[in-house]
Amino acid sequence: VHIPRIDMTRMGTVKIGVMLALSRRLIKLGDKIVFVTGSTEMATLDSIVLVDTGREAEILTAQAIGGIAENVKPEVFQEALNFAIELASRGREGKPIGTIFVLGDEDRVMQLSKQMIINPFKGYSDEERNILSPMIKETLREFSAIDGAFLISSDGLVLTAGRYLSTSGDNESLPRGLGARHIAAAGITALTKAIAIVISESTGDVRILKDGKILMEIEKPVRPEPR
């Protein structure tokens, strides 16, 4: 699996590795995995982590991961997650970004949402608006400043941006303190088979949601204050 070459915590790297491997069915829940990891900045390996995917609550906060590969192509999920982590880390023009990527079950998601702006992706060819195309990354970065969610089909087509997810659903399963983006993502994934990837503007953390619950949290590394 390919993990973005950006600064992350050691556990953040492990979490992404587990999630991507599960989504591609390279491993299954219950497998035990040994990770050798370390500092991205120093390019050194200094830690060994043993993960039991069937028991590790810190890595997997829900048991609904199996449906990821069924509802979204693994390469689409991997590309969307890697891009979200990169966007959370670097932001746009040095400023933090908060947004939602909703993947899969696009027809149902469209029914439960509405357009806040004119669709900026309408009229473009499938090749031009596929998330697997390197050409679209800067466009996604620019439109990430717009309120609302990106909708991406199960095979990777960016259908629209600036989409208002009009259902909040039951958000009792969410931790206290999470804002409107996470509530909207929980709601839309509770009522559809879609997967949501949410970037928190305030913290830079990335959360993956499915079935109205958070599957995984990937924390943005905290840089030490300069002396």
Side-chain angles (χ1 to χ4, degrees):
V1 296
H2 298 284
I3 296 175
R5 297 178 64 85
I6 60 176
D7 190 21
M8 288 185 286
T9 65
R10 290 164 179 77
M11 285 309 300
T13 303
V14 169
K15 288 179 180 181
I16 295 169
V18 170
M19 178 61 77
L20 293 178
L22 283 167
S23 73
R24 298 180 71 89
R25 296 180 175 173
L26 300 175
I27 61 173
K28 61 183 182 297
L29 286 176
D31 285 350
K32 296 178 177 65
I33 312 169
V34 177
F35 288 88
V36 181
T37 181
S39 168
T40 305
E41 183 177 354
M42 300 297 293
T44 57
L45 299 173
D46 57 20
S47 304
I48 297 176
V49 181
L50 173 63
V51 176
D52 183 341
T53 59
R55 302 178 60 184
E56 185 56 75
E58 183 183 356
I59 301 294
L60 305 171
T61 57
Q63 301 298 310
I65 290 177
I68 288 180
E70 297 173 2
N71 302 320
V72 179
K73 287 185 176 180
E75 59 269 27
V76 171
F77 175 74
Q78 175 173 298
E79 194 65 36
L81 178 58
N82 285 355
F83 178 74
I85 293 167
E86 179 183 339
L87 188 60
S89 175
R90 298 173 181 170
R92 175 179 173 272
E93 297 179 352
K95 298 180 180 179
I97 284 294
T99 193
I100 308 172
F101 297 93
V102 181
L103 314 174
D105 202 4
E106 52 270 18
D107 293 338
R108 181 64 174 155
V109 173
M110 282 290 207
Q111 293 174 3
L112 296 173
S113 61
K114 60 183 180 181
Q115 199 65 31
M116 299 171 64
I117 61 170
I118 295 174
N119 182 1
F121 293 95
K122 186 176 181 180
Y124 288 89
S125 68
D126 289 357
E127 182 181 359
E128 290 175 304
R129 59 195 177 104
N130 196 303
I131 195 170
L132 300 178
S133 170
M135 299 184 296
I136 202 173
K137 299 303 170 60
E138 193 56 39
T139 302
L140 292 175
R141 191 183 302 276
E142 289 299 315
F143 284 119
S144 64
I146 298 172
D147 287 338
F150 291 93
L151 264 58
I152 302 174
S153 70
S154 59
D155 56 359
L157 296 183
V158 183
L159 303 176
T160 186
R163 194 79 179 177
Y164 174 71
L165 307 177
S166 54
T167 176
S168 61
D170 179 10
N171 56 23
E172 292 183 358
S173 61
L174 294 181
R176 293 182 180 274
L178 296 181
R181 284 191 182 92
H182 292 87
I183 293 173
I188 201 69
T189 59
L191 297 178
T192 69
K193 296 179 180 179
I195 302 158
I197 301 174
V198 184
I199 302 173
S200 172
E201 185 174 0
S202 58
T203 65
D205 295 345
V206 175
R207 294 178 176 88
I208 305 166
L209 293 92
K210 187 177 184 296
D211 296 334
K213 300 176 182 178
I214 297 175
L215 291 182
M216 183 175 289
E217 299 184 34
I218 303 166
E219 301 84 2
K220 181 178 179 179
V222 178
R223 295 183 180 275
E225 295 291 335
R227 297 182 178 180

